[in-house]
Amino acid sequence: MPLKTDAVGKEWPGTTYQVGREKIKEYANALGIENPVHFDVEAARAAGFRDVVAPPMFAVVYSSPAVAPAILDPEVELNFAAMVHGGQAFEWDEPACSGDEITTATKCLSIEEKDGKGFYVFETNSVNQDGAQVARGTWTLIVRGV
Amino acid sequence: MTLNAGDQVPELRVTPDKYLPHRYAGASGDFNPIHIDDEFAKAVGLPRNILHGLYSMGLVAKANAALADGDPRALKRLSVQMRGMGVPEQEIVVTGTVKSADGGRVVVDTVAAQGETTLIKNAEAELAL
């Protein structure tokens, strides 16, 4: 059965995530990241940040909630049970700090079949409350046995 | 720090403990049971509960940020392919080589491996230093 590609180009409305100090701390601790700018507001301000700043890969925390509705959209017809996360890219601009409200929109860039696998590529675009670009993500999800 | 093509990134070695996937699940919001439920993971054919691929990518980001003393502004771009499955309680080694250095823009090739298993490959990081 050929892979359904109707959803290519489809966009999902943005979801908004409020960044908080404790969540940044929790993420940095899980990764063993020790720079005080992730834990201490004074250290963060001394380094030029508005507030405690998130490590770059915290992008998954604020942007994942925007990807889930796309993956689960019946129009995409992605077999979640056979899915693996095959590739990921981020580009960063404005740092994400505690207090920020980051809105992430998702778009389906491509759906292709290769070697009996389905490659689903989604793009996320995250902007903060001032409209500044925070991060752009490219998510490559691979479904086995399509 | 002045970097040149061919320079090595300081190696990062981390042994995620048994409960790391649970802490990462809480931190990231990804509670897929293959990461936190050993019995479930085995029932779907995995050797045991496995690490989140984005955790391993987070270690790659951390190893690259070390080139800028951990400054979270330095990493401008990171693109990776996730391959082998990582497991708790085994050491992960992240290594990297500077591919190009042009003024303050440095591109680094990074690999994360656990024993013979490559977790992250073709990882390309761009840093502004």
Side-chain angles (χ1 to χ4, degrees):
Chain A
M1 196 171 68
L3 210 56
K4 195 176 156 192
T5 57
D6 300 2
V8 175
K10 183 167 180 175
E11 296 180 39
W12 288 266
T15 61
T16 299
Y17 180 93
Q18 173 140 19
V19 181
R21 288 179 189 167
E22 297 300 331
K23 197 68 196 178
I24 291 173
K25 188 194 292 184
E26 187 185 4
Y27 180 86
N29 277 332
L31 270 296
I33 297 171
E34 293 170 345
N35 189 335
V37 296
H38 305 302
F39 300 91
D40 176 46
V41 67
E42 297 305 327
R45 288 190 177 137
F49 299 103
R50 296 181 291 285
D51 205 311
V52 169
V53 61
M57 279 299 293
F58 189 84
V60 303
V61 180
Y62 57 75
S63 58
S64 294
V67 180
I71 294 174
L72 300 173
D73 187 328
E75 203 182 327
V76 175
E77 221 171 67
L78 184 158
N79 180 7
F80 186 71
M83 185 195 87
V84 294
H85 195 162
Q88 181 68 45
F90 281 107
E91 287 174 41
W92 291 275
D93 290 290
E94 184 69 17
C97 295
S98 178
D100 284 0
E101 288 197 9
I102 300 181
T103 300
T104 301
T106 305
K107 181 178 181 179
C108 179
L109 287 188
S110 63
I111 299 175
E112 288 170 2
E113 190 175 333
K114 202 162 59 182
D115 305 326
K117 295 176 189 155
F119 287 73
Y120 296 74
V121 182
F122 297 92
E123 180 183 80
T124 53
N125 201 41
S126 301
V127 298
N128 71 13
Q129 64 284 354
D130 300 322
Q133 178 87 21
V134 179
R136 197 165 62 83
T138 309
W139 309 65
T140 303
L141 308 172
I142 302 174
V143 175
R144 285 171 289 195
V146 297
Chain B
M1 189 190 321
T2 304
L3 292 167
N4 297 298
D7 286 352
Q8 298 294 306
V9 171
E11 192 176 75
L12 173 66
R13 289 177 176 265
V14 177
T15 303
D17 66 60
K18 185 177 177 182
Y19 300 109
L20 182 280
H22 302 74
R23 289 199 304 283
Y24 185 82
S28 69
D30 181 350
F31 288 91
N32 187 328
I34 60 172
H35 303 303
I36 54 175
D37 185 336
D38 197 40
E39 283 177 28
F40 178 91
K42 285 173 178 155
V44 297
L46 297 169
R48 63 169 294 181
N49 65 313
I50 61 169
L51 299 176
H52 295 74
L54 289 170
Y55 165 75
S56 302
M57 184 180 178
L59 293 181
V60 168
K62 180 185 171 183
N64 280 291
L67 291 174
D69 296 324
D71 184 343
R73 282 167 292 215
L75 189 61
K76 307 312 286 182
R77 180 172 62 84
L78 179 61
S79 170
V80 309
Q81 289 182 339
M82 296 159 193
R83 284 301 175 261
M85 290 175 294
V87 292
E89 301 180 285
Q90 272 187 40
E91 187 178 57
I92 296 172
V93 182
V94 184
T95 52
T97 308
V98 175
K99 192 175 171 184
S100 65
D102 180 12
R105 286 274 164 175
V106 174
V107 176
V108 182
D109 277 329
T110 320
V111 173
Q114 198 171 40
E116 298 296 305
T117 307
T118 302
L119 307 185
I120 300 283
K121 69 167 198 173
N122 294 338
E124 189 175 278
E126 185 175 339
L127 296 115
L129 299 177

